[in-house]
Amino acid sequence: MPAWGTHEDVVEDRPERPPAVIEVRLLPWRPRRRMPDPGIDLSGLSGASDDLVGGVVALVVGVLAALLGLIVLAGVVMLLELWLVGAVALLLLLARFVGLLPWAVFTGSGYEFYRWLPHAAARVRALNGSRHARFRWHWA
């Protein structure tokens, strides 16, 4: 049996820290999480629901028909304004490389933000101890 205070009787189970990466998000903002309101009581609607089935079905069919018309109209408008989407994408890309939108570096314990890609890549290389900077792509 080893003496007290030696290395053999101290065992630590530390999880491996994930490698540092540069996160590239399509949109520079994060969507807010929505939480439902649990205080709504719907138990009083159970008796009245039998009378409203016909109206609800008519409303759903009307809404679906309106949505179909909007989808066709949106298809036509999208073909006409596709250049606008390309211009916004180009401006976001330009803003990222000019330094207006920062690069986020995930360090394993939090985020660090850098204006220039070479600085972010150097930080990832220093944290990982390798020549290559890893990237992680996100849509939002």
Side-chain angles (χ1 to χ4, degrees):
M1 180 168 196
W4 290 101
T6 61
H7 179 68
E8 287 82 17
D9 66 340
V10 178
V11 177
E12 294 184 22
D13 292 330
R14 292 184 187 171
E16 288 293 324
R17 192 175 87 180
V21 295
I22 297 174
E23 282 196 1
V24 179
R25 294 189 177 142
L26 178 67
L27 301 175
W29 57 86
R30 290 186 180 186
R32 294 181 183 170
R33 291 189 174 147
R34 307 279 184 201
M35 297 296 292
D37 184 15
I40 298 174
D41 184 24
L42 299 176
S43 62
L45 294 177
S46 62
S49 64
D50 295 336
D51 298 332
L52 298 175
V53 170
V56 170
V57 169
L59 180 67
V60 168
V61 168
V63 167
L64 288 177
L67 284 176
L68 180 64
L70 284 176
I71 288 172
V72 170
L73 181 66
V76 171
V77 170
M78 187 178 75
L79 291 175
L80 295 176
E81 296 185 1
L82 193 57
W83 64 271
L84 183 64
V85 174
V88 169
L90 185 64
L91 286 175
L92 281 174
L93 185 67
L94 183 66
R96 175 79 67 184
F97 279 101
V98 168
L100 296 176
L101 296 174
W103 297 91
V105 174
F106 179 69
T107 62
S109 61
Y111 289 95
E112 297 176 3
F113 298 98
Y114 296 92
R115 293 282 178 195
W116 302 107
L117 181 60
H119 294 235
R123 179 66 175 148
V124 170
R125 285 188 206 113
L127 288 172
N128 289 343
S130 67
R131 283 185 21 192
H132 303 287
R134 297 179 57 184
F135 283 84
R136 180 170 53 190
W137 296 86
H138 284 279
W139 286 101

